[in-house]
Amino acid sequence: MSSATLSTPVRVPPAASGRPTGPVARADQRAYVRLLVVLDTAVLCVAVLAGYAARFGDHTPIGSEIPYVLVAPGLVLTWLVSLKALRCYDDRVLGYGADEYRRVGTASLRLAGGIAIAGYIADVGVSRGFLGISFAFGTLALVVTRFAARKRLHLARYRGDGWSRRVLVVGDTAHVLELVHTLRREPYAGYQVVGACIPDALLAPVPQRLSDVPVVGSLRGVPEAASAIGADTVAVTASGELTAARLRRLGWQLEGTGIDLVVAPALTDVAGPRIHTRPVAGLPLIHVEAPEFRGARKLVKELVDRTAAALALLLALPVLAVLALAIRLDSRGPVLFRQTRVGQGGREFGVLKFRTMVVNADALRAELAARNETDGLMFKMRADPRVTRVGRLLRKYSLDELPQLVNVLLGQMSLVGPRPPLPSEVARYDGDVARRLLVKPGMTGLWQVSGRSDLSWEDGIRLDLYYVENWSLAADLTILWKTFGAVVRGRGAY
């Protein structure tokens, strides 16, 4: 295409987005980093004092030649330097993902190991009890305060006034829209799309928008467009015009501007541990490992599930008895409700739940079909007349699902996994959705901690398939932890 046929890029002033731009957004970022430094310093001071107090009490160690009045602040300062050296304040890992916590733990453990080795070689008699308590308490406290700071940041991002990256998305219109939708699914991740650059041939002489994202330029003027709207990140997605040479040149153009370049591959919903980058002939080839559906890790998951279910049942027996009595006194019918569900490999089993509806609920469903409030294959109503008074309370806090611990103990379910589907739903599955049946269904899962019944059918399936492809024991523990918060809030339960 000749230059005479190109349309003039549409420019959007920085204030058009209604959000802090350029220097203001970077000031918010620096303020958050300063907050972390202050928190870390306070935590380490407390940890070192706690280590000293636990080891020596309120008395100076008798006969010791070690000046702890100098060792303590020196340890705090060295610890902070170690955190800085391992890039624990790098804005690219702050506020989202596990890498921030991993770096904090690694920095602390490496420093502890280095001090232990140096002390042994130099034969310095610093109390091992003092160091052990300080590092154990300090490492845990660092992670906890980082978690609290992150939650505060996430809340601010939900309100629209927290530090977020201002992203300019570059690529074909279809891929731009897909990436925008993906980033907006999780606003707490901190990627705020403020503009888009599309191929020259798709530009118009009038202001354009993709969904509600303003088009601010073409692929030929990405650096200028990013500067004009105050973007600090350029996210490149697929486009036929973005050849390897042009992408490399774009990286050169952004050097020294303070604008990060991010390449979003077409492959989505694949977790980091399954992705490995291998440079071959100058190309960063992405190797994606196959999902793991059997093996030693699966056996460990099975053992953890059944052991935890047995312990939970023993501890919850008094609660189960009280709930059973409340159900019996509230309405006529059995305490437990057994329903056929489909598990791993398409095998059917009877899932156990406390009864939350009237005894003829299934017969009444046909009369309520027109009032279904969800899409896809599920039936959901916020004010379902079939639900009993006690049933509403049980559903709000997911207490009706406690008997499923028996299903976990029997090996029919897992603590964490996809939602157990009905046979009628499975009969209408296509090839992709059927992959949910490759693992055991769970009492909780990503669907539970991401909105529960408020999720659309499409989003629920996406989360289930993501778990199937990327499950791990660490992810299971994270989901179980988040489940408590989701249950206490009662959001999306009806």
Side-chain angles (χ1 to χ4, degrees):
M1 178 178 293
S2 66
S3 59
T5 63
L6 298 179
S7 301
T8 303
V10 178
R11 298 299 183 191
V12 177
S17 66
R19 292 289 306 275
T21 62
V24 177
R26 283 188 286 273
D28 291 341
Q29 170 199 328
R30 290 192 294 269
Y32 182 73
V33 172
R34 285 195 298 269
L35 172 65
L36 292 183
V37 172
V38 171
L39 288 175
D40 289 350
T41 303
V43 163
L44 295 182
C45 289
V46 172
V48 171
L49 289 175
Y52 183 90
R55 177 63 182 85
F56 303 113
D58 56 354
H59 302 290
T60 302
I62 300 175
S64 174
E65 298 179 355
I66 303 299
Y68 284 94
V69 69
L70 299 178
V71 170
L75 179 57
V76 171
L77 180 60
T78 307
W79 206 333
L80 287 171
V81 171
S82 179
L83 292 173
K84 175 66 175 178
L86 264 74
R87 302 170 66 185
C88 296
Y89 302 105
D90 188 342
D91 64 274
R92 284 181 284 267
V93 301
L94 296 179
Y96 187 75
D99 200 29
E100 178 182 359
Y101 304 130
R102 189 181 301 113
R103 291 190 186 189
V104 168
T106 300
S108 302
L109 292 176
R110 285 186 180 181
L111 179 60
I115 290 178
I117 294 172
Y120 176 78
I121 294 175
D123 195 22
V124 178
V126 178
S127 170
R128 287 174 292 181
F130 161 69
L131 291 175
I133 295 171
S134 298
F135 275 108
F137 179 78
T139 302
L140 178 61
L142 282 173
V143 173
V144 171
T145 53
R146 289 288 182 113
F147 175 80
R150 176 179 292 192
K151 287 302 179 184
R152 180 174 176 271
L153 176 63
H154 288 178
L155 181 61
R157 284 173 172 172
Y158 269 118
R159 293 196 304 259
D161 57 2
W163 159 59
S164 294
R165 289 180 169 274
R166 294 176 55 83
V167 183
L168 172 66
V169 181
V170 178
D172 291 337
T173 54
H175 293 100
V176 165
L177 287 170
E178 182 178 0
L179 182 55
V180 169
H181 176 68
T182 301
L183 294 177
R184 288 181 174 175
R185 280 202 303 248
E186 299 181 354
Y188 56 85
Y191 286 85
Q192 177 203 1
V193 180
V194 294
C197 286
I198 59 178
D200 302 303
L202 301 178
L203 284 175
V206 296
Q208 292 174 266
R209 286 183 175 270
L210 297 177
S211 183
D212 60 345
V213 177
V215 176
V216 295
S218 72
L219 303 186
R220 297 177 182 272
V222 173
E224 295 81 4
S227 177
I229 62 173
D232 54 29
T233 302
V234 171
V236 178
T237 185
S239 173
E241 292 190 16
L242 280 173
T243 62
R246 294 187 67 176
L247 185 58
R248 183 171 63 251
R249 192 176 302 114
L250 175 60
W252 295 340
Q253 292 172 336
L254 294 177
E255 286 181 2
T257 63
I259 300 175
D260 292 331
L261 177 63
V262 177
V263 179
L267 185 64
T268 59
D269 285 340
V270 179
R274 289 180 54 209
I275 298 176
H276 304 279
T277 303
R278 299 177 179 175
V280 177
L283 296 174
L285 299 183
I286 298 177
H287 176 76
V288 182
E289 293 183 355
E292 186 174 352
F293 300 118
R294 59 180 63 86
R297 288 202 310 146
K298 275 292 186 181
L299 292 177
V300 172
K301 178 179 170 68
E302 181 88 10
L303 178 63
V304 170
D305 280 340
R306 297 200 182 196
T307 302
L311 292 175
L313 277 173
L314 288 175
L315 295 174
L317 277 177
V319 176
L320 296 175
V322 171
L323 295 179
L325 179 61
I327 294 170
R328 175 68 72 178
L329 295 176
D330 180 58
S331 63
R332 179 179 58 86
V335 169
L336 291 177
F337 174 70
R338 186 178 184 276
Q339 187 177 44
T340 300
R341 297 291 180 109
V342 181
Q344 186 177 21
R347 292 183 291 273
E348 296 185 354
F349 68 98
V351 68
L352 296 175
K353 301 177 69 175
F354 279 129
R355 181 177 59 83
T356 59
M357 292 186 174
V358 295
V359 290
N360 61 335
D362 287 338
L364 296 175
R365 176 175 171 175
E367 302 176 11
L368 301 171
R371 297 167 61 183
N372 187 14
E373 298 177 11
T374 186
D375 55 358
L377 307 180
M378 294 187 297
F379 178 85
K380 287 287 183 180
M381 285 181 60
R382 294 183 182 273
D384 195 325
R386 301 173 300 167
V387 179
T388 63
R389 290 175 299 175
V390 171
R392 295 194 186 282
L393 178 65
L394 296 181
R395 286 185 168 217
K396 181 177 181 179
Y397 298 106
S398 296
L399 296 174
D400 59 317
E401 297 174 2
L402 286 178
Q404 292 176 20
L405 288 168
V406 175
N407 294 113
V408 177
L409 190 60
L410 295 175
Q412 298 165 332
M413 293 181 64
S414 175
L415 291 177
V416 181
R419 185 187 65 84
L422 293 165
S424 59
E425 296 174 7
V426 175
R428 298 166 62 185
Y429 279 0
D430 58 21
D432 292 341
V433 181
R435 290 184 63 82
R436 299 172 76 243
L437 305 180
L438 291 174
V439 300
K440 291 181 181 179
M443 289 185 62
T444 185
L446 286 174
W447 48 274
Q448 177 85 333
V449 301
S450 303
R452 301 161 85 180
S453 296
D454 285 341
L455 291 174
S456 67
W457 167 260
E458 180 182 349
D459 284 339
I461 290 298
R462 178 184 60 81
L463 292 173
D464 280 346
L465 293 181
Y466 180 89
Y467 177 82
V468 170
E469 299 280 343
N470 304 288
W471 76 271
S472 69
L473 294 175
D476 282 3
L477 292 176
T478 301
I479 292 171
L480 287 171
W481 170 257
K482 290 183 177 181
T483 297
F484 289 108
V487 168
V488 169
R489 290 192 301 269
R491 183 173 62 89
Y494 49 88

